[in-house]
Amino acid sequence: MTVGSARRLWAIVPAAGRGERFATDTPNVPKQYATLLGRSVLEWSLHALLAEPRIHAVVVVLAIGDERWPEAARKINSPKLLTTVGGAHRQDSVMNGLEFLAPMARADDWILVHDAARPCLSGSDISALADALEESQGGAGAAGVVLAAPIVDTVKRELGGALETVDRAGLWRALTPQIFPYAQLRHALQDAAVNKLQVTDEAQAMERIGSRASLVRGSPFNIKVTRAEDLKAAADILKLGESSQMRIGQGVDVHAFGAGDHVVLGGVRIAHAHGIVAHSDGDVVIHALCDALLGALGDGDIGQHFPDSDPRYRGADSRVLLRVVAQRMQAAGLRLVNADITVLAEAPRIGTHRSAMAANLAADLGVAAAAINIKATTTERLGFIGRNEGLAAMASVLLSG
């Protein structure tokens, strides 16, 4: 997870604010924890960051005594999440995030800062920023990049009760994320603190020390939730993009029969005249499903994650492996829409076991059993399956983000 050669990309999300301009029917709830389509605003704001593989880790900067974060973290369930304590103002919280990263980040690592109250950030905007960094290594863009949207409305300035039209040419709305080198951003925020200056974003702090970022055009729908009415606008935007990311994967697994008196399929032990020759429990259903999921994620295959050369997986319960893959799927901000699995075998027959198999897989993937379809076929006594030398399974999955 690097940008350029060895420069890592870290994200800081200041989430310690109280949102004093924000008021809903639920009092004393900071805007980052307001409910938005079944999740908190903060969960949505972290979604695209956690799904971007080039981001090494995400530091969420929290208020002291934040009692809502543990539940949000449990639901997100990502190993990329780190936390530290925030300060009185946004720039103080970003500075605390930088200090937290001091033992881990290099001076030339990149720091991405994103508002906790911008829930509509898209994966394509994150990718565009990371691409801009990779293209600008050593060039003019190396000072940093800022996501921005051009101003398209006519702009007015109020002067003593009268209005004056402002030339909008060259004017942009600064959005987040904004990305800058670690050491430079830390210096810029320290300088602002020493001079007792409040900056509205990281780009302003960098400008004060003579460092100007490049603009990367972002979506105008990347709105900031400031007032309660902004929640409806954010919900409408998220609904429009609800099915924007659809990923398909397929997997196949084959095992030979050997000594034994049972096989395991979909986590169900089924009596049979033969066992399975395998490093783990030889569950072809789960192995094919794992490969399909990893394929949809663009995350390699089951052999890369659980190699048969590793003694830890000798005789392993394949449902444990499936739960690990499910965690990777959730960390990428994706969910299973459905899975279709076919078992290819002359024997054993699986008709009476399909419901139990589907229930196991659904429980491990966090979906309803109706999302899992399992069927079986023979090969009309053709090939190694027809000769009862082994069995196989094929799986196809659809993921949505």
Side-chain angles (χ1 to χ4, degrees):
M1 298 182 186
T2 60
V3 174
S5 55
R7 301 176 74 171
R8 287 183 296 185
L9 175 60
W10 307 81
I12 294 176
V13 179
R18 292 175 296 176
E20 294 176 351
R21 289 175 289 174
F22 185 81
T24 65
D25 295 333
T26 308
N28 303 318
V29 175
K31 62 184 178 182
Q32 63 268 31
Y33 288 112
T35 300
L36 176 60
L37 297 181
R39 306 184 195 179
S40 67
V41 169
L42 177 56
E43 287 172 63
W44 283 110
S45 298
L46 292 169
H47 179 83
L49 300 178
L50 293 169
E52 171 53 60
R54 285 172 287 189
I55 294 179
H56 187 69
V58 180
V59 180
V60 185
V61 188
L62 304 166
I64 296 174
D66 187 328
E67 297 178 351
R68 295 178 175 87
W69 172 250
E71 174 61 16
R74 184 193 65 78
K75 287 161 62 179
I76 297 169
N77 190 31
S78 172
K80 291 169 68 170
L81 280 177
L82 304 170
T83 60
T84 191
V85 175
H89 302 284
R90 182 184 187 280
Q91 69 192 64
D92 302 322
S93 290
V94 174
M95 191 65 207
N96 284 6
L98 292 170
E99 295 296 341
F100 174 81
L101 285 175
M104 296 174 270
R106 294 187 348 180
D108 63 345
D109 277 354
W110 294 106
I111 301 297
L112 175 154
V113 182
H114 181 55
D115 292 332
R118 287 191 187 270
C120 301
L121 174 65
S122 69
S124 58
D125 275 357
I126 287 280
S127 184
L129 284 169
D131 289 346
L133 290 180
E134 292 183 338
E135 292 166 5
S136 68
Q137 296 299 304
V145 289
V146 171
L147 198 67
I151 292 178
V152 296
D153 297 315
T154 298
V155 179
K156 302 289 185 181
R157 178 189 291 116
E158 183 183 5
L159 293 172
L163 292 180
E164 175 185 75
T165 301
V166 176
D167 183 3
R168 69 187 179 201
L171 295 182
W172 294 68
R173 289 192 299 116
L175 312 172
T176 67
Q178 301 183 0
I179 307 179
F180 299 98
Y182 177 88
Q184 290 183 35
L185 180 57
R186 188 179 185 188
H187 169 60
L189 291 176
Q190 286 173 334
D191 183 75
V194 168
N195 289 283
K196 295 182 171 53
L197 295 174
Q198 290 295 316
V199 293
T200 56
D201 67 359
E202 290 65 50
Q204 184 183 8
M206 294 292 287
E207 289 161 18
R208 290 191 65 259
I209 63 169
S211 181
R212 296 185 180 276
S214 300
L215 286 178
V216 173
R217 186 168 185 149
S219 168
F221 297 121
N222 181 9
I223 65 171
K224 186 175 182 180
V225 173
T226 303
R227 296 175 173 83
E229 53 266 34
D230 297 330
L231 285 173
K232 184 181 185 308
D236 290 342
I237 292 168
L238 290 169
K239 285 176 183 176
L240 284 173
E242 206 168 39
S243 299
S244 60
Q245 184 176 193
M246 307 294 286
R247 307 290 294 270
I248 296 172
Q250 58 86 29
V252 177
D253 193 51
V254 177
H255 278 299
F257 287 134
D261 59 3
H262 72 279
V263 297
V264 178
L265 296 174
V268 176
R269 181 185 172 112
I270 302 173
H272 187 50
H274 303 288
I276 292 291
V277 178
H279 185 67
S280 64
D281 61 8
D283 191 328
V284 292
V285 167
I286 289 182
H287 294 178
L289 179 57
C290 285
D291 255 356
L293 292 166
L294 291 167
L297 293 172
D299 196 11
D301 59 41
I302 192 171
Q304 291 176 246
H305 293 276
F306 314 108
D308 58 13
S309 58
D310 192 329
R312 289 179 299 171
Y313 305 120
R314 184 174 299 280
D317 180 347
S318 292
R319 291 188 64 185
V320 174
L321 311 186
L322 179 59
R323 287 192 284 268
V324 173
V325 174
Q327 289 174 353
R328 299 185 74 85
M329 175 183 69
Q330 292 155 6
L334 295 167
R335 63 181 179 83
L336 179 72
V337 177
N338 75 297
D340 186 39
I341 302 165
T342 302
V343 178
L344 295 92
E346 295 294 331
R349 301 293 182 176
I350 67 166
T352 59
H353 304 288
R354 286 191 296 180
S355 294
M357 292 162 62
N360 286 344
L361 305 182
D364 294 339
L365 293 169
V367 298
I372 310 291
N373 184 62
I374 301 174
K375 54 191 187 294
T377 187
T378 68
T379 60
E380 300 295 336
R381 300 193 178 281
L382 298 175
F384 77 92
I385 291 175
R387 295 191 297 271
N388 279 309
E389 295 173 1
L391 75 173
M394 300 186 298
S396 298
V397 300
L398 176 64
L399 306 185
S400 175

